[in-house]
Amino acid sequence: MRPRNVLILFSDEHRRDALGCAGHPLVRTDNLDGLAGRGTRFTRAYTPSPICVPARASLATGRYVHATRCWDNAQAYHGEPRGWGHVLQDHGFRVESIGKLHYRGSDTNNGFDREILPLYIRDGVGWIKGLLRDHEAVLDCSSYASDIGPGPSSYTDYDTGVTRAACEWLRDPATAGTDRPWTLFVSWLRPHYPLRCPELFYRLYPLERMDHARFTGEHERSRHPVTRALARNFDYDRWFTDQTRQVARASYYGLCSFLDHQVGQVLTALEESGRADDTLVIYASDHGDHNGDRGLWTKMTLYDESAGIPLILAGPGVPEGETVSTPASLVDIFPTVLTALGIPADGAGTSGLPLQDLAAGRHADRSVLSEYHDGGSPTGMFMLRTPKWKYNEYPGYPPELYNMEDDPSELVDLAQDAAYADVLADCGRRLRLLVDPVRESRRAFDDQAALIRKFGGVEAILRLDDYDFTPVPARAG
């Protein structure tokens, strides 16, 4: 049976292992666990970029970051290249969104017939200070460690509004009774910081039962100069105490459970609409979150805590209760949606593969790419993930190589070990089949330099007011 409709459920900053079905001993995500039980979970799924705006441009277009040229949080998707929504519109589908988009704005055709409660980059320009990649300490990180624990937040208010709107949309007789197939993109802000968590969900994680951040010993932290530069530029950890670190971690887990509750309400509304049996459901997040591991917070590195994402596919024709270890990516969602609805994906320019193919055991040796070109990094960052290896290349700096089967914690860099010279060379070759790191890193810097000039130069940008997360529009929620 082929689905008639597609429901994409999308979160922000949900790390791959923060799921009960992924084996986490503490995090409670009953609804997502149930969705995985009814479908297929991809255990090696990655973001095309461990930061919001570039990841979402890749989600829309099925193309990696260097192909969209949405390098950072100040260069957002604006309807080009055309996305999966545009293709569905061409074929007569109803395509709507509810919630966060993080595109440039409403003044371009983003591929949706209607955008309900949209959240775009701030003022259509986004986080401009991220363009200053060689300037340390452009961001005051102190509020990250104080806006934590139980309590209200505009972000959770916004998300409850998104859930309410999505449930109303699905329960609307005009949706349930129409013969016109639809695709709905529902996108929440959580568990993205601020780590202020509704008390009901915060109480699920008493501090006396909390786990502790991993890999925080000096011998476990990265010695790579690029990762160390990122840690200096975004030194959230220095503002914490031992006690407040635990509060922040509990808040993150609580926000994962809060998000799961939102997902559950939307899935219930889908069931009540009578369309669950002919609707493909996709759950994913734009990137992960360190949550204190390695002394790091938020995202922006190539570690799995940051670059790994949850990815679940459920619905007609999808194997139930299965897991797939073939590397997957957000760029795969474009061809997945088209394939599900019987639309050829050939010629669309996507770099992705249908998740249906991966679930069927095809393309088992494929590789996926993740890139970072935003604030804090002195060079472009390129990650190649094969079934066994993770290879990180930083133009102008040494590469990294990890055996992800023997060392899933990414603690032993093998790049300088002569015994792995052939593996290192092969990974470099495979990376260059996807991207030219030197050329694309230079192109990103050139595009960013042009934007810096447009905004009046470095000093003018440094004088701008600062913010650490996109504010919610007053009308939202």
Side-chain angles (χ1 to χ4, degrees):
M1 176 182 175
R2 173 174 288 166
R4 298 184 71 255
N5 315 301
V6 177
L7 175 62
I8 302 173
L9 307 175
F10 205 66
S11 63
D12 198 319
E13 208 146 320
H14 188 187
R15 57 188 278 170
R16 185 202 297 141
D17 62 359
L19 286 167
C21 58
H24 199 285
L26 292 178
V27 177
R28 294 173 58 177
T29 51
D30 295 346
N31 296 295
L32 288 169
D33 297 350
L35 184 68
R38 299 191 300 275
T40 295
R41 181 169 61 88
F42 297 83
T43 62
R44 294 175 180 166
Y46 288 88
T47 179
S49 184
I51 196 163
C52 297
V53 168
R56 289 164 184 270
S58 290
L59 168 72
T61 63
R63 303 176 188 222
Y64 287 121
V65 174
H66 64 273
T68 69
R69 298 179 76 167
C70 295
W71 306 108
D72 50 61
N73 275 354
Q75 294 171 293
Y77 183 62
H78 54 280
E80 293 291 341
R82 280 164 51 90
W84 51 262
H86 300 101
V87 178
L88 296 186
Q89 288 176 326
D90 292 344
H91 286 78
F93 283 79
R94 178 184 179 189
V95 190
E96 300 193 13
S97 72
I98 303 174
K100 178 176 180 177
L101 293 173
H102 237 191
Y103 298 167
R104 191 172 69 189
S106 60
D107 57 338
T108 57
N109 176 8
N110 297 318
F112 297 106
D113 303 336
R114 185 167 56 138
E115 297 171 355
I116 302 168
L117 296 178
L119 179 68
Y120 308 110
I121 60 171
R122 193 178 80 159
D123 301 327
V125 296
W127 189 52
I128 302 170
K129 287 190 175 181
L131 300 171
L132 307 182
R133 291 167 56 181
D134 58 346
H135 286 71
E136 294 185 15
V138 300
L139 177 67
D140 179 1
C141 299
S142 59
S143 63
Y144 184 96
S146 59
D147 198 4
I148 60 176
S153 166
S154 62
Y155 267 32
T156 46
D157 290 344
Y158 176 83
D159 276 0
T160 57
V162 168
T163 301
R164 183 167 54 249
C167 291
E168 291 172 354
W169 195 99
L170 290 165
R171 291 185 174 115
D172 186 343
T175 299
T178 183
D179 289 331
R180 185 185 180 195
W182 51 261
T183 294
L184 179 65
F185 178 71
V186 181
S187 179
W188 294 279
L189 290 170
R190 294 309 202 168
H192 192 290
Y193 59 94
L195 297 176
R196 185 70 69 179
C197 181
E199 187 167 357
L200 175 67
F201 297 95
Y202 181 81
R203 287 204 307 265
L204 295 174
Y205 303 96
L207 295 189
E208 63 272 16
R209 300 180 191 170
M210 275 294 298
D211 57 6
H212 291 267
R214 307 173 305 164
F215 320 131
T216 57
E218 186 57 32
H219 67 289
E220 296 173 308
R221 299 193 188 196
S222 174
R223 294 178 176 83
H224 196 280
V226 174
T227 305
R228 292 224 164 191
L230 283 166
R232 288 194 306 271
N233 277 278
F234 300 100
D235 190 5
Y236 296 101
D237 198 59
R238 67 176 289 217
W239 300 100
F240 283 102
T241 66
D242 290 345
Q243 170 78 4
T244 57
R245 283 188 188 90
Q246 295 302 91
V247 172
R249 285 175 62 79
S251 296
Y252 180 78
Y253 291 164
L255 291 170
C256 290
S257 294
F258 166 80
L259 165 71
D260 181 76
H261 182 63
Q262 309 311 306
V263 169
Q265 292 179 73
V266 174
L267 292 177
T268 296
L270 177 64
E271 288 284 348
E272 293 174 351
S273 75
R275 306 314 299 261
D277 290 342
D278 61 3
T279 299
L280 182 74
V281 179
I282 303 171
Y283 173 73
S285 194
D286 56 356
H287 49 72
D289 187 294
H290 292 99
N291 199 28
D293 287 352
R294 307 178 203 270
L296 301 169
W297 300 83
T298 77
K299 53 273 188 182
M300 299 174 292
T301 76
L302 302 179
Y303 288 118
D304 267 21
E305 297 96 332
S306 168
I309 57 168
L311 180 57
I312 299 170
L313 187 70
V318 178
E320 296 188 9
E322 297 292 331
T323 57
V324 173
S325 59
T326 302
S329 170
L330 288 182
V331 299
D332 297 334
I333 289 180
F334 187 122
T336 297
V337 172
L338 269 60
T339 297
L341 300 175
I343 302 171
D346 297 341
T350 174
S351 299
L353 296 171
L355 293 174
Q356 298 92 330
D357 284 3
L358 305 190
R362 293 189 282 275
H363 313 293
D365 193 42
R366 66 98 57 121
S367 303
V368 296
L369 171 68
S370 188
E371 307 171 51
Y372 181 81
H373 303 277
D374 208 310
S377 176
T379 188
M381 299 163 49
F382 300 85
M383 181 202 83
L384 179 84
R385 181 62 157 96
T386 77
K388 182 175 181 178
W389 303 99
K390 178 183 281 191
Y391 171 75
N392 301 330
E393 189 161 320
Y394 311 88
Y397 296 84
E400 293 176 307
L401 179 69
Y402 297 98
N403 183 331
M404 299 299 287
E405 291 181 354
D406 297 342
D407 178 30
S409 299
E410 301 170 78
L411 296 176
V412 182
D413 177 13
L414 302 170
Q416 305 308 315
D417 189 330
Y420 295 91
D422 289 345
V423 175
L424 192 74
D426 182 62
C427 286
R429 179 190 62 80
R430 293 180 70 160
L431 176 65
R432 278 160 180 77
L433 294 176
L434 299 174
V435 64
D436 180 332
V438 173
R439 183 186 68 195
E440 298 304 338
S441 182
R442 184 182 304 118
R443 197 159 66 120
F445 273 99
D446 288 346
D447 286 354
Q448 290 163 336
L451 262 185
I452 291 170
R453 291 192 296 271
K454 176 182 176 181
F455 289 116
V458 171
E459 295 305 319
I461 291 174
L462 288 173
R463 289 193 295 269
L464 294 173
D465 66 306
D466 214 349
Y467 66 99
D468 198 10
F469 51 87
T470 303
V472 174
R475 68 183 184 281

